[in-house]
Amino acid sequence: MEIVGHRNMDYLPIFADLKRRPCLVVGGNEIAWRKTRMLLKAGADVKVIAPELSAEFQHAIAENQIDYLGETFQPEDLDGSFWLSPPRSGRRSMP
């Protein structure tokens, strides 16, 4: 939809207080880790779902910095989540 007098935006800047808010990350690759790192810096309670996890994710899970929910996304995994970071790849990872 074109709004007269306004330029279309490619991104919507959003500012949110994520301290102690449950945030779900789907994916365990380097892109997902960068998003996770930003969420952790913001104080979010991060949970991750991924069939494979990078070394950074494995370390963060071992240090109890994030929670690992398993390999496969289920719709009920969203229950209680304030923020969702979906996977970013060509493969379909969510139903």
Side-chain angles (χ1 to χ4, degrees):
M1 176 172 111
E2 189 70 33
I3 300 174
V4 178
H6 293 280
R7 185 175 150 294
N8 285 340
M9 294 179 3
D10 291 330
Y11 300 96
L12 177 65
I14 297 176
F15 295 91
D17 180 4
L18 298 178
K19 288 182 190 74
R20 296 180 297 281
R21 298 264 187 141
C23 297
L24 179 63
V25 175
V26 180
N29 61 18
E30 191 59 38
I31 294 169
W33 176 248
R34 285 195 308 263
K35 294 176 184 180
T36 299
R37 216 174 51 223
M38 288 189 299
L39 291 168
L40 289 172
K41 286 181 181 180
D45 291 334
V46 179
K47 296 177 170 115
V48 65
I49 297 171
E52 296 178 22
L53 297 167
S54 70
E56 293 88 358
F57 273 109
Q58 292 175 20
H59 178 75
I61 291 166
E63 294 293 319
N64 294 315
Q65 295 173 347
I66 61 176
D67 293 322
Y68 180 59
L69 298 184
E71 296 183 0
T72 307
F73 173 83
Q74 301 296 322
E76 57 270 13
D77 293 329
L78 290 171
D79 292 349
S81 291
F82 176 78
W83 185 271
L84 167 66
S85 180
R88 184 163 183 256
S89 74
R91 297 184 321 190
R92 187 167 185 247
S93 300
M94 294 176 61

